[in-house]
Amino acid sequence: MLPLVNVGHKSLGDYATLVSRGLMDEIRRLAEPLQGKRIVHVSATAFGGGVAEINYTLVPLMADAGLEVEWRIIRGAEEFFNVTKAIHNALQGDPRSLTPEEQEIFRRYNAENAAEFAADDYDYVIIHDPQPIAMIDAFPERTAKWIWRGHIDFSTPNPDVMEFLLPSLRKYDDAIFHMREYAPRADDLPEIVIWPPAIDPLMPKNMALSPQDAAYILDQFGIDVDRPLLTQVSRFDPWKDPIGVIDAYRIVKQRFPEVQLALVGSMAHDDPEGWDYYNRTLEYAGDDSDIYVLSNMNSVGAVEVNAFQVHSAALIQKSIKEGFGLTVTEALWKSKPIVAGRAGGIVAQVTDGVTGWLVNSAEECAQACIEVLRDPAAARARALRGKEHVRRHFLTPRLLRDWLVLFNRLAGNDTGGSTITVV
Ligand code: UDP
């Protein structure tokens, strides 16, 4: 059997006053006909990145809503994760295609994982991202509904690699993307559903943390808490552009010599490229003692990420490609000024000039940070608007509701007027 992730318990009732009462009532109503349905989430890793972040809350809340839900992790070795990283990069636009050997490795690991998976034990099988997408090939007779959930930016995929995955994708009942622009342009696709992910306001990462506690924590990392700090929280990945963040910081530093920069990034075990890029970032930072390059190796866990987000004058997410950008959601939820790349799901969250800053270059990123540092009150006004946008659209109860609507649709149940976006 594929390994289970232990997600513990969460109670929907704890969220009742953080979101609207109407939403909570809707969740209860939609969950009723689904009591006892068996659901499994399958993903590549339980640690690092957006999928893990979402599932640690979504899975226990599905359970609290009365579903029998599990989250399982596929097995893989470095040769497999090298291929899946190449696929990830290609789907985000990298022109490099897969060699026949790489295709063979991908198929082989998917088949091996499928051999350890009892698909008929479930009513709904949810496969996250491309890594396990081809497990479905091993199940020509399916009793469960199979749903594929894509979390990355598919707006300009490498067509060869998309073509390679399409035969598997076509077998699903539904495919869910963050944005309309991500749906592949191909024939015979499954039903395409669009909804954004969400964050958990009650996780240690997102719980209110006092400025004093945040400063106390950052002091332990050597940050001078009396001088302004810019932070990007992200995996070390070319699409997150940490090098561009350093360029922007260097421009800001000419105006505000006291400014500091933190690049905080965890290393996911399915991301072999991460260390290379981490080392490149370190090298690029050089001997500037006001740049802090930190990772989970420095004990930066959820509370520490929270502290960096709470304490920073501005949060940067200078992505070039971005599936959704939960770090942007997290920044807005903490009422923090956000300066973010005009990419992927970030534009669904940040309206330039209203809830934050959207930038296309290191120069624009620097100018936006300078504006934040020059006029913190105006920056905070934008951030507060952003927080209410997050409350309405990007907290986990809304995501749970969307899943419940889809399960009911697939079961042929009346959803009582609750809808999701089907394209
Ligand atoms: N994250 C973290 N520690 C880090 C870097 C990232 O906990 O050092 C979290 C971050 O707070 C966010 C998630 O990982 O919740 C990243 O999700 P996002 O959608 O921003 O990007 P992805 O990694 O999925 O491309």
Side-chain angles (χ1 to χ4, degrees):
M1 293 286 267
L2 298 180
L4 272 175
V5 182
N6 182 357
V7 294
H9 294 280
K10 286 190 193 289
S11 165
L12 263 171
D14 290 343
Y15 297 75
T17 48
L18 279 169
V19 298
S20 74
R21 179 176 301 176
L23 177 57
M24 297 310 281
D25 292 344
E26 198 181 0
I27 288 172
R28 274 185 215 102
R29 177 174 57 72
L30 288 164
E32 218 157 275
L34 298 169
Q35 295 303 296
K37 291 284 182 204
R38 296 155 307 164
I39 291 156
V40 63
H41 291 259
V42 178
S43 74
T45 175
F47 177 71
V51 178
E53 194 70 23
I54 292 161
N55 276 2
Y56 275 111
T57 296
L58 180 64
V59 171
L61 287 187
M62 280 186 171
D64 195 54
L67 311 178
E68 257 184 49
V69 55
E70 294 175 348
W71 174 15
R72 292 183 183 274
I73 298 297
I74 56 169
R75 297 185 207 274
E78 193 172 350
E79 59 170 353
F80 175 63
F81 291 126
N82 283 331
V83 175
T84 59
K85 187 69 195 204
I87 291 176
H88 174 98
N89 287 340
L91 292 172
Q92 297 212 132
D94 187 333
R96 189 176 92 70
S97 295
L98 300 179
T99 64
E101 293 74 40
E102 288 176 320
Q103 297 189 358
E104 190 275 324
I105 290 170
F106 184 75
R107 289 202 187 96
R108 176 156 47 86
Y109 276 85
N110 267 270
E112 283 170 12
N113 279 296
E116 284 195 65
F117 183 61
D120 290 344
D121 285 358
Y122 306 99
D123 299 298
Y124 301 92
V125 174
I126 301 167
I127 302 287
H128 290 273
D129 270 344
Q131 299 94 329
I133 192 173
M135 280 172 61
I136 195 170
D137 297 351
F139 302 98
E141 314 282 327
R142 292 182 289 279
T143 53
K145 300 288 183 191
W146 282 64
I147 305 163
W148 184 72
R149 185 20 165 159
H151 292 265
I152 61 178
D153 183 340
F154 298 88
S155 51
T156 54
N158 170 328
D160 284 353
V161 174
M162 190 51 120
E163 202 57 46
F164 171 66
L165 298 176
L166 275 176
S168 303
L169 183 64
R170 288 194 173 104
K171 295 177 183 144
Y172 285 81
D173 295 283
D174 275 88
I176 309 169
F177 296 88
H178 295 326
M179 315 254 293
R180 266 169 210 268
E181 301 85 290
Y182 295 176
R185 284 165 282 277
D187 298 330
D188 301 323
L189 291 173
E191 178 176 78
I192 303 284
V193 175
I194 308 297
W195 72 51
I199 60 164
D200 179 357
L202 298 182
M203 261 192 177
K205 165 90 53 75
N206 294 318
M207 289 280 284
L209 190 67
S210 72
Q212 294 76 14
D213 288 340
Y216 183 84
I217 290 170
L218 264 59
D219 179 60
Q220 296 172 50
F221 289 92
I223 310 284
D224 180 346
V225 295
D226 297 320
R227 290 195 279 138
L229 175 69
L230 305 172
T231 298
Q232 171 157 299
V233 175
S234 264
R235 290 180 296 105
F236 289 97
D237 177 314
W239 309 107
K240 309 285 188 184
D241 198 19
I243 303 286
V245 176
I246 293 176
D247 287 336
Y249 151 85
R250 288 188 172 137
I251 299 171
V252 177
K253 193 135 181 106
Q254 290 165 14
R255 257 318 273 287
F256 291 92
E258 70 278 26
V259 75
Q260 306 165 92
L261 174 68
L263 293 164
V264 177
S266 67
M267 302 292 167
H269 86 281
D270 67 336
D271 185 7
E273 212 179 50
W275 285 113
D276 281 355
Y277 219 71
Y278 171 82
N279 288 327
R280 277 184 60 181
T281 306
L282 264 186
E283 213 170 285
Y284 199 71
D287 56 7
D288 184 337
S289 58
D290 282 340
I291 302 181
Y292 297 81
V293 181
L294 302 168
S295 77
N296 43 318
M297 297 298 148
N298 306 90
S299 304
V300 184
V303 173
E304 291 75 22
V305 167
N306 189 342
F308 272 93
Q309 290 170 329
V310 165
H311 182 82
S312 296
L315 291 162
I316 300 174
Q317 186 56 60
K318 209 200 145 302
S319 305
I320 295 161
K321 288 276 179 177
E322 187 59 80
F324 187 70
L326 290 175
T327 53
V328 172
T329 331
E330 290 159 6
L332 290 174
W333 181 244
K334 290 165 185 130
S335 312
K336 280 290 154 181
I338 178 83
V339 175
R342 194 184 295 274
I346 289 174
V347 301
Q349 304 188 64
V350 176
T351 305
D352 190 33
V354 181
T355 55
W357 284 258
L358 290 178
V359 299
N360 295 309
S361 63
E363 174 64 38
E364 282 182 26
C365 180
Q367 288 314 320
C369 293
I370 289 169
E371 275 185 46
V372 173
L373 294 175
R374 249 198 333 233
D375 191 350
R380 184 164 165 79
R382 286 192 198 191
L384 284 170
R385 283 192 288 270
K387 179 177 174 84
E388 291 315 308
H389 184 59
V390 170
R391 189 194 305 280
R392 278 195 302 280
H393 301 289
F394 308 128
L395 298 185
T396 318
R398 189 236 85 234
L399 180 62
L400 173 63
R401 171 215 172 271
D402 290 352
W403 274 109
L404 296 177
V405 175
L406 180 61
F407 294 151
N408 276 303
R409 272 175 64 93
L410 284 168
N413 299 337
D414 179 7
T415 59
S418 295
T419 57
I420 47 176
T421 303
V422 178
V423 296

